[in-house]
Amino acid sequence: NAGVTQTPKFRVLKTGQSMTLLCAQDMNHEYMYWYRQDPGMGLRLIHYSVGEGTTAKGEVPDGYNVSRLKKQNFLLGLESAAPSQTSVYFCASSRILGEQYFGPGTRLTVT
Amino acid sequence: DAKTTQPTSMDCAEGRAANLPCNHSTISGNEYVYWYRQIHSQGPQYIIHGLKNNETNEMASLIITEDRKSSTLILPHATLRDTAVYYCIVIDNYGQNFVFGPGTRLSVLP
């Protein structure tokens, strides 16, 4: 099993550009999450999903959109990137009750 | 509001037990204590969790006080590879909003 994978690993965007981050899990987990981590800080939850076709806002949802069209995939979109969105983005998945498994992260720089 | 408080940093000698404390004085009866760690810039890794009783797995032990207002994560024989930031998180059965605070930066010294 690959676990949780994230695509891409690195990306540089210019202000105003858009992009989509892909998260995939092969553990048949119901829950999936997107976090961001700024330098020297803990993780902050952006959006999460409790099942296919459902999404919900986390602590810092502004400027991001998500979709969960398939159970195994969770997409994070930035419609108009801003320098404040420069961060490392982590995806995670979990069973309804249980520990979260994290991906390796995507390092995004917005110039 | 932060539900947990942890020391900013700790040192531990290699081969010794590392005891990482966490205060969660406002914990509710249905809330679990979870521990994760993050090594360098990798994604966080689940370590252990518990509700009331002490728990042990292949990685660590979790000691929860009787009043459940604090807990201690114990790494019995710390190695250099245990150097990481350790996060203590409190969440209920149905909560999805894991709040990762700053955590404790553990340095295992040779």
Side-chain angles (χ1 to χ4, degrees):
Chain A
N1 289 348
V4 178
T5 58
Q6 294 183 230
T7 308
K9 291 184 171 54
F10 302 92
R11 186 71 186 267
V12 178
L13 286 180
K14 293 185 178 179
T15 298
Q17 288 184 320
S18 64
M19 77 163 294
T20 300
L21 281 67
L22 171 64
C23 176
Q25 54 97 0
D26 61 3
M27 296 173 283
N28 201 34
H29 285 167
E30 290 293 333
Y31 286 10
M32 296 188 74
Y33 315 78
W34 275 107
Y35 294 88
R36 62 175 287 174
Q37 185 173 34
D38 299 326
M41 306 286 287
L43 280 76
R44 291 184 293 169
L45 184 65
I46 304 172
H47 286 279
Y48 64 95
S49 168
V50 301
E52 182 178 323
T54 71
T55 63
K57 294 180 179 180
E59 181 186 358
V60 289
D62 293 342
Y64 305 95
N65 57 76
V66 288
S67 64
R68 183 103 180 266
L69 299 180
K70 294 182 179 181
K71 186 177 183 179
Q72 64 269 31
N73 295 337
F74 196 28
L75 278 64
L76 178 71
L78 287 72
E79 292 185 345
S80 180
S84 60
Q85 294 178 304
T86 293
S87 191
V88 180
Y89 292 85
F90 289 102
C91 175
S93 70
S94 70
R95 295 186 297 269
I96 292 176
L97 174 62
E99 65 268 23
Q100 295 185 23
Y101 292 83
F102 283 80
T106 294
R107 283 149 184 79
L108 175 66
T109 301
V110 183
T111 62
Chain B
D1 291 340
K3 287 188 173 183
T4 65
T5 56
Q6 299 176 251
T8 302
S9 63
M10 294 181 63
D11 292 339
C12 177
E14 188 178 18
R16 298 282 188 149
N19 297 283
L20 291 90
C22 179
N23 287 324
H24 31 78
S25 58
T26 61
I27 192 170
S28 301
N30 62 343
E31 289 183 316
Y32 288 76
V33 179
Y34 278 79
W35 282 85
Y36 284 75
R37 73 181 182 183
Q38 188 173 24
I39 296 174
H40 193 44
S41 301
Q42 300 175 19
Q45 176 189 23
Y46 165 82
I47 301 173
I48 198 166
H49 74 280
L51 182 64
K52 295 180 181 178
N53 300 322
N54 298 337
E55 302 288 343
T56 296
N57 62 21
E58 64 278 5
M59 288 183 67
S61 294
L62 174 60
I63 307 299
I64 302 174
T65 57
E66 193 168 345
D67 63 8
R68 302 210 323 124
K69 293 185 177 181
S70 66
S71 61
T72 301
L73 177 75
I74 301 173
L75 307 178
H77 305 288
T79 70
L80 299 178
R81 288 178 297 180
D82 292 321
T83 292
V85 177
Y86 287 78
Y87 300 100
C88 170
I89 299 159
V90 166
I91 192 164
D92 63 30
N93 274 6
Y94 306 100
Q96 297 85 42
N97 201 345
F98 272 48
V99 177
F100 287 79
T104 296
R105 181 171 297 278
L106 175 68
S107 298
V108 180
L109 307 175

